[in-house]
Each structure stands twice: as structure tokens, then as C-alpha cells.
């Protein structure tokens, strides 16, 4: 994949990626990363510890379901956390551990494709980048004599991302229908607001999800 990204590919689109998502090596790497990150259980109540104890079986099941096209994401569990500097609460959507594994495997495959096109001054949610890198850039700009700051914020951005526009953008690079269906499945999985109350997701993407 990395070689093709350097040399170019026909139509600048990826037509077969799903086999890279379900590869055993990729799924095993995804499990290791999810175990390392920890976190709480999703709507199925299965903890990271439980899944880790059944790791080989989990990988085999996920690989079989992904290959057969029978894998279906579960709704995310709604959790509210405090919002820094505000009395408001921020909604998080906690996927099941199993879904976090598949999302991580999917991210391993698609991240390099889009990473190449992201702006150099963008630091959020990117591999090998973080707040300290942004601060170093600000310091550099101050030393160059820049003195103006423009502060802007999109209210509830993650909660209001339009699905159609998002999938259209992803589709400019990825033509593998199975991968696009997988991404759409996560967007449309819905939210469990309580043990018995499911809410559909017509827009937005859950904060707290790997993907």
C-alpha cells in the first residue's frame, strides 16, 4: 500500500481494501492496540479483560464475519463527561470492544491513504502529532514576529457531520464498497441512551470511537 501511495495508482482510487482489513496480522495488531488503550465496556457489557482472555477466538470470529460480510456494528453506549470550563456535558459514544478492534483494523488500512493529503498545520487526531507539536509551531510563529490569533469553533462539530457529504469525500479515495459499507455501518449504528432506549444517528460521528 505504501509503495502504491508513492508511485500512484489507477484513477487515484483504492478498489480492494477489505482483505487488508480482515487479514489476521492486522486484526491481531488491532487487538493489541485496543488492549493497550483499555477503556470501558460497550453495550454488550464485555470488558477489555474478557475479550483479551478470548483473543484467538475473537480474531477468528471477526475475520470470518468480515470475509462473509455478516459483521454488523453494535450501537454505541452513551456516556456524558464534564466539559472543561463549562457547566455543559460532552456526549461520548463508547463502542463495544469488538467494534473497537475492527475500527482499529480499518483505521490501520485507510489512515495512510488520507494522511498524505491533510494540511501540515493540522495536529488533531493524527499519528505522531499532538498539542506539543502545535505549541512548538506557535512558538516558531511568535519568533517570526506573528502577533495575531484567530480563534474559531464549530459548535457540536462531531455531532453534526453530515453522513452523505462525509461518505462522498471518503468515496473520492476509496471505491471498495465493502469498506464504505463498514464505515457507513458505524455512522448509522445508533446510540443506546439507556439499557432499553435506542436512538438512530442521522448525522454526526460518535466522539470516543476509534474510527
Amino acid at each position: 500500500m505504501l509503495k502504491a501511495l508513492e508511485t500512484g495508482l489507477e484513477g487515484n482510487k483504492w478498489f480492494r481494501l477489505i482483505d487488508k482489513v480482515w487479514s489476521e496480522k492486522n486484526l491481531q495488531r488491532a487487538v493489541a492496540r485496543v488492549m493497550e488503550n483499555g477503556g470501558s465496556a460497550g453495550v454488550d457489557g464485555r470488558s477489555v479483560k474478557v475479550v483479551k482472555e478470548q483473543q484467538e477466538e475473537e480474531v477468528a470470529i471477526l475475520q470470518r464475519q468480515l470475509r462473509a460480510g455478516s459483521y454488523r456494528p453494535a450501537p454505541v453506549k452513551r456516556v456524558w463527561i464534564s466539559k472543561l470550563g463549562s457547566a455543559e456535558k460532552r456526549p461520548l459514544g463508547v463502542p463495544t470492544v469488538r467494534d473497537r478492534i475492527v475500527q482499529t483494523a480499518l483505521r490501520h488500512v485507510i489512515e495512510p491513504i488520507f494522511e498524505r493529503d491533510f494540511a501540515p498545520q493540522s495536529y488533531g487526531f493524527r499519528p505522531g502529532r499532538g498539542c506539543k507539536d502545535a505549541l512548538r509551531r506557535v512558538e516558531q510563529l511568535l519568533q517570526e514576529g506573528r502577533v495575531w490569533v484567530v480563534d474559531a469553533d464549530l459548535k457540536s462539530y462531531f455531532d453534526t457531520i453530515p453522513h452523505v457529504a462525509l461518505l462522498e469525500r471518503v468515496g473520492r479515495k476509496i471505491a471498495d464498497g465493502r469498506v464504505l459499507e463498514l464505515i457507513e455501518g458505524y455512522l448509522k449504528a445508533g446510540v443506546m441512551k439507556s439499557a432499553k432506549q435506542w436512538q438512530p444517528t442521522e448525522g454526526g460521528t460518535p466522539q470516543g470511537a476509534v474510527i
Side-chain angles (χ1 to χ4, degrees), residues 89-108:
K89 295 279 188 178
R90 183 189 300 276
L92 287 186
V94 181
T96 64
V97 177
R98 176 176 283 185
D99 284 342
R100 296 206 293 268
I101 291 169
V102 178
Q103 287 186 23
T104 301
L106 179 59
R107 177 179 170 181
H108 286 164

Side-chain angles (χ1 to χ4, degrees), residues 30-38 48-49 51-52 55 97 101:
V31 170
R33 183 164 288 186
V34 171
M35 297 303 112
E36 182 181 323
N37 291 338
V48 169
K49 182 181 178 182
V51 174
K52 186 175 183 178
Q55 180 172 332
V97 177
I101 291 169

